[in-house]
Amino acid sequence: MGTRAASGGGASRSRSKDGDRRVGRRALLIGTAVAAVGTAVVARDELTRAWWRLPGVSKPRKEGEVDYAGARWVAASDANWRLADRPDDFGIDMVVIHVTQGSFASAVKVFQDPKHGAAAHYIVRKDGHVTQMIRELDVAYHAGNRDYNERSVGIEHEGFVDRPQDFTDEMYEASARLTARICARYDIPLDREHIIGHVEVPGTDHTDPGEHWDWDRYMKLVRAAAAKGSGAAPA
């Protein structure tokens, strides 16, 4: 009787080991299949991006069209941005906050100057007016870092970094609505890893938006605008 019990236990352990091996093989096969699917998805995404980067391949465009309701279109010089088809060729996962270090008019002027070599997608005036100068589809030369340029939307703010009075309530609120709308469009997380200052871009020698930019206030406004589902600017 004791022998049979021992024998039965051995058979049970043997079956258990066989079962473990079958489960192990099954898990391995499932894992391999999942990895293959993941690899296929990555390959497909890369092929899609490669397609949109081909010369001559571009999305239809309409002159003067804006990406943000209520923004006024004023075109930047073609020398200050690069034609693209984002987010299909380059994903967008950041918003970069800038300060113009000058007036609104001076910022528009330099962004229209082909010798300047830089421009942002948007400028927000002290009174909250929003001007778009480059389509979000396209790569603006605003961050001083090619990778960040390709991945981000740049927003300039009228004023000077050492003048906190330049950062008006109207400006904060209008900019927050704009950023919330951009983040919703590209599924960008509403955090400081993805909404950054120009100073935080690797390799830059810029200091904007500076120590007087109220990040806590700004991020609260962005999240509040997102919660309301309000990305639209006042007309």
Side-chain angles (χ1 to χ4, degrees):
M1 184 124 175
T3 304
R4 281 197 296 271
S7 174
S12 176
R13 284 194 296 273
S14 177
R15 284 195 298 271
S16 175
K17 289 178 181 177
D18 288 344
D20 289 345
R21 281 195 288 269
R22 284 196 294 273
V23 170
R25 286 195 295 270
R26 189 178 301 116
L28 179 61
L29 289 171
I30 291 171
T32 301
V34 169
V37 170
T39 301
V41 169
V42 170
R44 182 195 63 196
D45 290 347
E46 288 301 317
L47 283 172
T48 299
R49 293 196 189 284
W51 164 258
W52 283 107
R53 293 175 190 174
L54 289 173
V57 177
S58 64
K59 297 176 182 177
R61 294 156 190 265
K62 191 180 296 182
E63 188 174 354
E65 189 172 30
V66 296
D67 298 299
Y68 181 64
R72 174 175 171 248
W73 176 258
V74 178
S77 168
D78 293 351
N80 296 331
W81 56 275
R82 188 175 88 234
L83 192 72
D85 288 293
R86 303 189 310 167
D88 291 319
D89 52 358
F90 300 100
I92 299 174
D93 63 2
M94 283 186 294
V95 175
V96 180
I97 301 300
H98 302 261
V99 173
T100 60
Q101 286 300 98
S103 67
F104 169 80
S106 67
V108 171
K109 183 177 180 180
V110 296
F111 289 174
Q112 292 182 318
D113 181 356
K115 296 178 183 178
H116 184 61
H121 294 90
Y122 294 96
I123 307 175
V124 181
R125 224 163 48 192
K126 292 178 188 177
D127 62 2
H129 172 84
V130 178
T131 293
Q132 183 169 4
M133 300 193 69
I134 299 168
R135 290 293 306 277
E136 291 175 17
L137 287 166
D138 298 319
V139 176
Y141 303 152
H142 67 97
N145 177 307
R146 178 171 179 167
D147 177 51
Y148 277 62
N149 283 341
E150 290 173 345
R151 298 168 52 192
S152 66
V153 173
I155 305 175
E156 287 278 2
H157 297 79
E158 179 186 18
F160 293 86
V161 296
D162 58 350
R163 287 172 51 92
Q165 63 269 32
D166 288 344
F167 306 144
T168 63
D169 293 344
E170 294 84 357
M171 174 184 285
Y172 273 122
E173 291 165 8
S175 178
R177 288 192 296 267
L178 172 58
T179 293
R181 182 66 253 156
I182 293 167
C183 290
R185 185 162 27 251
Y186 304 110
D187 198 25
I188 300 172
L190 303 178
D191 59 39
R192 287 282 286 112
E193 290 183 13
H194 297 86
I195 302 171
I196 66 172
H198 194 182
V199 67
E200 296 169 89
V201 175
T204 186
D205 59 356
H206 288 251
T207 62
D208 56 316
E211 63 181 349
H212 297 298
W213 181 263
D214 191 336
W215 277 110
D216 289 340
R217 177 186 181 188
Y218 186 68
M219 295 303 298
K220 287 177 182 176
L221 288 169
V222 171
R223 293 183 182 116
K228 290 177 184 175
S230 166

